[in-house]
Amino acid sequence: MKFFIIVIISYLLGSLPFGYYIGKYIYKKDIRSMGSGNIGTTNALRNFGKTAGLITFILDAFKGGLAAFIGGLIAGNEGMSLAMFFVVIGHMYSFLLNFKAGKGIATVFGALIYINPKFALGMFAVFFIVVLLSKMVSLGSVCVCLVAIISSIYSYGVSYFSLSLSIIATIIIIKHKANIKRIIRREESKLF
């Protein structure tokens, strides 16, 4: 029963589409009809500016951290890993937006910051370096997901944490399928 509670709470938290709400209530626009159509940080940044992008990132990361915190309170390490998984699933497949929403990078980062800050900062460093060199957030996202899979299994073996993170990272990579095709064709949008 406690794991079911974690799943429900985490999914509901993850489903809160902050980028969509910022666009709708502050800018009176539907972010889903703009740019990439994504409700996350990058699309908010491109369409509404730095403040909107930063707030979207903070709120999406916060819900990831909050879910992990609640999962830990209810069921320890297993609960945190389960919460991390379902808060990201909620963000990606929000019932509030017909199960189409974000790609999950900020949300999983928020969960990781709470669960394992050192690991999270290492992943952020990978993401930051790739984005800085390539100027492509999508490439940074895909690369950090690949590194996260390898690093988590190497560092923690086959565990709830590594399995949860690896499955999430794989889904995130799949959600970047169109971006990957554009990167290969050298048509992907650059951040700066």
Side-chain angles (χ1 to χ4, degrees):
M1 185 64 174
K2 63 183 180 180
F3 293 114
F4 179 72
I5 292 168
I6 292 168
V7 168
I8 296 300
I9 291 173
S10 300
Y11 176 78
L12 291 175
L13 271 174
S15 290
L16 295 171
F18 291 116
Y20 170 76
Y21 290 149
I22 288 167
K24 183 177 181 180
Y25 296 112
I26 296 175
Y27 297 93
K28 311 300 182 194
K29 294 180 180 177
D30 187 344
I31 194 172
R32 298 173 299 173
S33 65
M34 305 171 74
S36 66
N38 194 297
I39 65 161
T41 300
T42 305
N43 206 30
L45 173 67
R46 285 182 175 145
N47 290 288
F48 303 133
K50 292 176 184 176
T51 302
L54 180 62
I55 293 170
T56 301
F57 175 81
I58 290 169
L59 291 174
D60 283 347
F62 176 75
K63 69 185 179 184
L66 181 59
F69 169 73
I70 293 169
L73 282 180
I74 296 172
N77 289 335
E78 292 176 15
M80 286 190 288
S81 295
L82 187 65
M84 176 174 67
F85 182 84
F86 279 97
V87 73
V88 177
I89 292 298
H91 179 79
M92 291 176 173
Y93 305 103
S94 172
F95 74 97
L96 296 169
L97 297 178
N98 299 316
F99 302 98
K100 292 180 182 178
K103 292 182 178 173
I105 290 292
T107 305
V108 73
F109 177 71
L112 284 173
I113 281 288
Y114 180 76
I115 295 169
N116 190 329
K118 190 175 177 182
F119 186 89
L121 292 174
M123 293 304 101
F124 180 78
V126 171
F127 174 82
F128 182 77
I129 290 167
V130 173
V131 172
L132 191 64
L133 294 175
S134 70
K135 301 179 178 65
M136 291 183 279
V137 173
S138 55
L139 184 60
S141 299
V142 171
C143 288
V144 78
C145 284
L146 292 170
V147 172
I149 293 168
I150 295 164
S151 299
S152 64
I153 293 171
Y154 176 79
S155 300
Y156 301 97
V158 179
S159 63
Y160 288 106
F161 174 73
S162 63
L163 286 174
S164 177
L165 185 57
S166 295
I167 295 168
I168 288 168
T170 302
I171 296 170
I172 291 172
I173 291 169
I174 292 167
K175 284 187 76 82
H176 279 83
K177 182 173 60 176
N179 302 87
I180 293 167
K181 287 178 181 177
R182 288 194 296 271
I183 290 168
I184 292 168
R185 295 195 304 262
R186 298 185 179 182
E187 296 171 356
E188 181 70 340
S189 298
K190 295 192 175 183
L191 189 60
F192 51 89

